Amino acid sequence: MSMTVYAPASMGNVGVGFDLLGAALAPIDGSLLGDRVSIEAAPSGIHLSLAGAWANKLPTDPQQNIVYQCAQFFLAELGRDDGVAMTLEKNLPVGSGLGSSASSVVAALYALNEHFDRPYDEQALLRLMGEFEGKISGSVHYDNVAPCYLGGMQLMLDTPVSVCEGLPVFTSWYWVVAYPGISLSTAKMRALLPDVYDKSVAIDFGRYLSAFVHASYKQDSELAIAVLKDVLAEPYRASEIPGYEQARSGLAELGMLTTGISGSGPTLFSVTDSLATAEAAQAWLDKNYVEAGIGFSHICQIDTQGTRRVDCE
């Protein structure tokens, strides 16, 4: 029996929470912004097919594809050699700052876990996702994997008991996200950051993140916006993203409450509690930030469902 799994796009960092905060995205028009993976039994071996708008940007050799590697990894962890046939529908551009690799990894491992009758519980599967994501990115960061899998806005804890915990979200907020159409290497963007930060910057980071968490529980949107600031990454990355600084200024003039970099960019996010302002911002971004025919924009809210089967919807 075949099944299809959808894993939503995600914003890592969410500005204020470098490597510690992430949120899943759901376009308000009902469209699905994320990768899909289908799976069914095969007589033997691992078979992978590609589909989707961004499939042509992936390696042509199936063994170089992370979904193929997910299947190898998962079967090795289980100690099994069953045959599986998988299809990756690649709907997120690589190097976009929208958790593209996390979406593929989470969809694949979720599908494999379902296919084999759930040998891993939620926390064990999440740790497996983080472990595999770490293998391909060089270090384990859950800020895309966790919200992509679990939905919502997730705060990374990485304790023996829990990888992360969900934060209350502001349901009145609209998150306008815009991908300009270029790809940026996450490794290159991480390399722009200093090895050592001034003590005052470390204090500001802790203050803003803790205040944002407090505001989320208190549902104080004014406070949350006031502290939704990135003092660790944006000062070093903003100038490396073509058009970002101009977009941030233009969006502020339109009345958007705050703007930041999604993950390591080049996608940006901008927040408002007014749908009319969000629509004006999207139109401005489509004209001034997004390359027609390549980039895209969406008005989103937080996806509270996370990864799920869509073949039975």
Side-chain angles (χ1 to χ4, degrees), residues 64-284:
Q64 297 301 311
N65 190 287
I66 58 176
V67 168
Y68 186 101
Q69 293 167 6
C70 276
Q72 289 181 310
F73 173 71
F74 190 89
L75 290 167
E77 289 290 316
L78 282 187
R80 301 179 64 149
D81 61 357
D82 303 53
V84 291
M86 304 177 77
T87 299
L88 166 62
E89 184 182 309
K90 190 64 189 166
N91 299 318
L92 292 176
V94 176
S96 59
L98 286 168
S100 176
S101 65
S103 181
S104 294
V105 167
V106 171
L109 290 177
Y110 186 101
L112 286 156
N113 198 54
E114 292 289 308
H115 180 75
F116 288 102
D117 298 322
R118 302 180 185 174
Y120 295 98
D121 64 19
E122 184 179 271
Q123 284 294 309
L125 186 60
L126 178 56
R127 291 190 185 278
L128 208 63
M129 291 169 174
E131 181 184 342
F132 184 84
E133 173 83 346
K135 287 179 184 295
I136 61 173
S137 66
S139 55
V140 177
H141 301 289
Y142 286 99
D143 56 331
N144 285 115
V145 167
C148 177
Y149 174 30
L150 302 173
M153 184 171 290
Q154 298 288 334
L155 178 67
M156 305 310 125
L157 306 179
D158 203 12
T159 69
V161 176
S162 180
V163 171
C164 59
E165 291 289 343
L167 295 183
V169 301
F170 294 96
T171 56
S172 63
W173 284 9
Y174 296 97
W175 301 75
V176 183
V177 295
Y179 167 65
I182 62 170
S183 293
L184 294 176
S185 160
T186 300
K188 178 184 174 183
M189 296 303 280
R190 289 189 81 88
L192 295 173
L193 307 182
D195 294 327
V196 178
Y197 285 92
D198 188 80
K199 180 170 66 176
S200 64
V201 175
I203 292 170
D204 282 344
F205 172 68
R207 179 162 59 92
Y208 292 142
L209 179 56
S210 58
F212 182 80
V213 172
H214 170 71
S216 296
Y217 278 101
K218 196 178 176 185
Q219 284 294 283
D220 184 339
S221 60
E222 187 175 345
L223 173 59
I225 287 294
V227 297
L228 192 55
K229 300 176 181 179
D230 180 358
V231 296
L232 292 188
E234 185 171 324
Y236 302 94
R237 290 174 170 171
S239 63
E240 297 296 314
I241 302 174
Y244 171 74
E245 292 171 316
Q246 297 91 325
R248 185 176 57 194
S249 297
L251 292 166
E253 290 176 11
L254 286 173
M256 295 299 286
L257 300 175
T258 191
T259 297
I261 301 168
S262 179
S264 56
T267 294
L268 63 74
F269 69 84
S270 197
V271 182
T272 179
D273 55 8
S274 162
L275 180 55
T277 305
E279 290 169 341
Q282 183 183 30
W284 189 95

Side-chain angles (χ1 to χ4, degrees), residues 35 50-57 88-93 294 296:
D35 293 348
L50 300 177
W54 300 93
N56 62 340
K57 300 295 184 181
L88 166 62
E89 184 182 309
K90 190 64 189 166
N91 299 318
L92 292 176
I294 301 177
F296 55 78

Side-chain angles (χ1 to χ4, degrees), residues 9-65:
S10 57
M11 299 180 289
N13 305 335
V14 196
V16 70
F18 184 79
D19 281 358
L20 299 177
L21 198 62
L25 293 167
I28 63 171
D29 64 7
S31 60
L32 297 181
L33 179 62
D35 293 348
R36 302 190 204 207
V37 169
S38 300
I39 186 171
E40 60 185 348
S44 63
I46 300 168
H47 306 272
L48 178 65
S49 302
L50 300 177
W54 300 93
N56 62 340
K57 300 295 184 181
L58 300 177
T60 54
D61 179 359
Q63 295 188 33
Q64 297 301 311
N65 190 287

